[in-house]
Amino acid sequence: MKGSILTLGCKVNQSESSIIEGSLINIGYSIVGLDDHPDFCIVNTCTVTAKSDYQSRQLIRRAIKSGAKVIVTGCYAHLRPEEIIKIGDNISIVNNNKKLSIIDMLASKTISYTLNYSSRSRPYLKVQDGCNFTCAYCTVPLARGKPISINIHDVIRQAIDLEASGYNEIVLTGIHLGLYGYELIPKVNLSDLIKSILSKTKIKRIRLSSLELNEVDEEIIELLQEERICKHIHIPLQSGDNKILKLMKRRYNAEDYASIIERIKNKIPSISIGTDIIVGFPGEDEKEFTNTKVFIESLPLTYMHLFPFSPRPNTLALKMPDHVPHKIKRERVAELNALNIKKQRTYLSLQVNKSLDIIIEKKDDKNITLGTSSNYLKVMIPSNRYVKGELIRVRIAGIEKNMLKGYPI
């Protein structure tokens, strides 16, 4: 039997889709594209923005047109199943908390999940789910529920399995990764998990996905200095204006953020630091936007993910006054993107003549191989003799097409 799996959204969604894909392959199913006339199609949706909702509906329509049996899951399906039902007939909807039951549904029996498979060179290892924050703009806690952590022993077992399968990097991910262990008994934290992976596995690179500012403590900063921990961290800012941060119900101010970033950079000068920015949150006037822009300019950030504010159902922000017009949001995103490009280029230029270790991710038709460095940069090398997932060292010669260009050492 042939099937397709289409995934939108966060690394947790990607990780869950990998478990489904690997488990189905393990029992003899073929995973193909929609053009290959699959018997079924799983659409793993996202609802973080209105654009995500739209993209989810588009994928569902594409899946229906393929003639496949369509199974829809993910956050959009969990929160707005009534919208999905209107798209077409014969759609099965599976809630987030029962997502992996799709495997048993398709196999017509209970099977053991495959946890050591990924179509990526750098597999996502989900260690946590859920969130108990109440940010004014976010529906994720509604879709994912309260924090749930995978116990350390199970995480270690998965990491060892991935290592044995030949992967050289794992990406620890969760809906709210910094809450890892919050509800476990006995209570543990993310630092405990990282130390266990370091001591009980030999996986060559361990990457942390997004962490909230208040969860980046001295222990995390010390662990980031470990050789096997990737020199990359993503810490959402959302706004550089304290009034807007308060309206967003974020749990820090701009000064707190700057202090943590400074401490990280002082300890690890070469580290890549990324962030998220929401542009045009209700109440963001020209003054607040300028404060954000000036604040970002002052920070040693490597890159930004920019999102125009998207009002979501059942959130506090939806009912707030002073919503920013779409035209102004687009203009502000463009202004910050120019700054983003400048910061990215500055950081890229600092890598020239340095040696970086990269994981091979893909090849193109022009004898070019692409990889990802520990500090989360894309590097292309003029060779196709390396295999996907291989870890190699390269000397960076320059910048081309907003990527680094290097040569194997």
Side-chain angles (χ1 to χ4, degrees):
M1 185 175 284
K2 298 188 297 185
S4 290
I5 303 176
L6 310 177
T7 307
L8 288 170
C10 65
K11 292 178 176 64
V12 172
N13 254 13
Q14 302 286 341
S15 174
E16 291 162 342
S17 286
S18 288
I19 293 173
I20 295 171
E21 181 176 344
S23 299
L24 294 176
I25 290 172
N26 200 41
I27 59 171
Y29 285 38
S30 298
I31 304 302
V32 300
L34 282 182
D35 293 337
D36 292 321
H37 308 292
D39 299 296
F40 63 87
C41 180
I42 301 165
V43 184
N44 196 355
T45 62
C46 176
T47 191
V48 70
T49 64
K51 183 179 180 181
S52 301
D53 289 355
Y54 171 74
Q55 290 173 328
S56 295
R57 291 191 295 270
Q58 276 191 317
L59 282 186
I60 295 167
R61 291 188 182 100
R62 282 183 56 206
I64 291 171
K65 287 180 180 178
S66 75
K69 174 185 176 182
V70 179
I71 303 168
V72 185
T73 188
C75 292
Y76 178 60
H78 190 96
L79 291 182
R80 277 175 283 287
E82 70 284 353
E83 295 182 10
I84 292 172
I85 291 170
K86 295 176 183 177
I87 296 174
D89 298 326
N90 300 319
I91 299 174
S92 299
I93 299 174
V94 179
N95 285 345
N96 261 330
N97 54 7
K98 295 182 178 179
K99 186 178 290 183
L100 296 186
S101 70
I102 294 172
I103 302 167
D104 299 332
M105 180 194 311
L106 290 169
S108 300
K109 60 182 179 179
T110 301
I111 66 172
S112 297
Y113 300 155
T114 300
L115 301 173
N116 61 345
Y117 168 84
S118 176
S119 59
R120 296 173 46 84
S121 299
R122 303 176 299 110
Y124 298 134
L125 176 48
K126 176 186 169 184
V127 302
Q128 187 274 342
D129 203 341
C131 180
N132 62 2
F133 278 23
T134 55
C135 298
Y137 50 82
C138 187
T139 61
V140 170
L142 300 175
R144 288 283 180 171
K146 294 181 179 179
I148 300 173
S149 304
I150 298 172
N151 71 64
I152 286 181
H153 299 298
D154 287 341
V155 175
I156 296 299
R157 179 170 57 84
Q158 290 183 50
I160 290 172
D161 284 349
L162 289 167
E163 179 188 340
S165 297
Y167 296 103
N168 284 304
E169 177 182 314
I170 56 171
V171 184
L172 300 184
T173 188
I175 293 298
H176 192 143
L177 182 62
L179 288 181
Y180 178 81
Y182 169 85
E183 80 302 341
L184 292 179
I185 299 173
K187 192 172 182 178
V188 294
N189 60 27
L190 182 60
S191 295
D192 296 324
L193 176 64
I194 295 168
K195 289 175 185 176
S196 291
I197 296 172
L198 285 170
S199 65
K200 296 178 181 180
T201 79
K202 295 181 180 179
I203 196 89
K204 292 179 180 177
R205 285 202 332 208
I206 302 159
R207 190 180 302 276
L208 307 181
S209 59
S210 183
L211 284 177
E212 292 293 329
L213 183 77
N214 297 329
E215 290 138 16
V216 183
D217 56 18
E218 287 300 326
E219 199 167 18
I220 289 291
I221 295 174
E222 289 298 318
L223 284 168
L224 283 167
Q225 297 172 66
E226 291 281 344
E227 183 180 356
R228 291 163 59 201
I229 304 296
C230 289
K231 301 304 175 275
H232 163 234
I233 190 167
H234 189 97
I235 308 175
L237 170 61
Q238 309 303 9
S239 174
D241 179 85
N242 286 336
K243 170 193 154 186
I244 299 301
L245 286 172
K246 189 173 182 180
L247 286 172
M248 288 178 168
K249 294 194 174 295
R250 301 294 285 172
R251 302 184 180 191
Y252 53 85
N253 58 35
E255 292 73 24
D256 296 332
Y257 192 93
S259 176
I260 292 291
I261 298 302
E262 182 181 0
R263 280 155 62 188
I264 294 170
K265 268 292 186 179
N266 283 341
K267 291 279 189 177
I268 318 162
S270 64
I271 195 168
S272 169
I273 303 177
T275 196
D276 298 332
I277 304 291
I278 296 174
V279 181
F281 189 81
E284 184 191 82
D285 212 338
E286 194 61 38
K287 175 186 173 183
E288 289 77 25
F289 173 71
T290 299
N291 286 345
T292 292
K293 183 180 178 184
V294 170
F295 183 66
I296 292 169
E297 286 176 327
S298 73
L299 296 173
L301 297 170
T302 306
Y303 66 90
M304 297 178 277
H305 293 157
L306 302 170
F307 303 91
F309 170 72
S310 180
R312 311 308 295 131
N314 302 311
T315 61
L316 288 173
L318 179 67
K319 301 175 182 178
M320 287 181 177
D322 304 320
H323 279 245
V324 179
H326 292 297
K327 181 176 182 293
I328 293 176
K329 283 191 281 190
R330 287 196 301 269
E331 290 170 353
R332 290 177 182 173
V333 167
E335 194 170 337
L336 288 187
N337 193 47
L339 177 57
N340 186 28
I341 292 169
K342 181 180 177 182
K343 283 187 172 290
Q344 288 176 341
R345 194 79 179 181
T346 297
Y347 188 72
L348 286 173
S349 67
L350 295 174
Q351 313 307 311
V352 177
N353 295 323
K354 288 185 177 180
S355 297
L356 299 177
D357 292 330
I358 67 170
I359 299 280
I360 301 301
E361 297 207 71
K362 62 180 180 179
K363 305 174 184 179
D364 66 14
D365 297 329
K366 300 177 181 178
N367 199 37
I368 297 295
T369 297
L370 299 178
T372 300
S373 65
S374 168
N375 55 346
Y376 205 51
L377 299 175
K378 297 300 178 186
V379 182
M380 57 180 180
I381 58 174
S383 172
N384 62 4
R385 68 187 181 90
Y386 298 100
V387 299
K388 185 176 178 181
E390 190 173 353
L391 179 64
I392 67 168
R393 173 155 288 197
V394 299
R395 185 75 173 173
I396 303 303
I399 303 169
E400 188 174 320
K401 299 179 181 178
N402 295 319
M403 287 189 292
L404 295 174
K405 184 174 182 178
Y407 295 89
I409 296 176

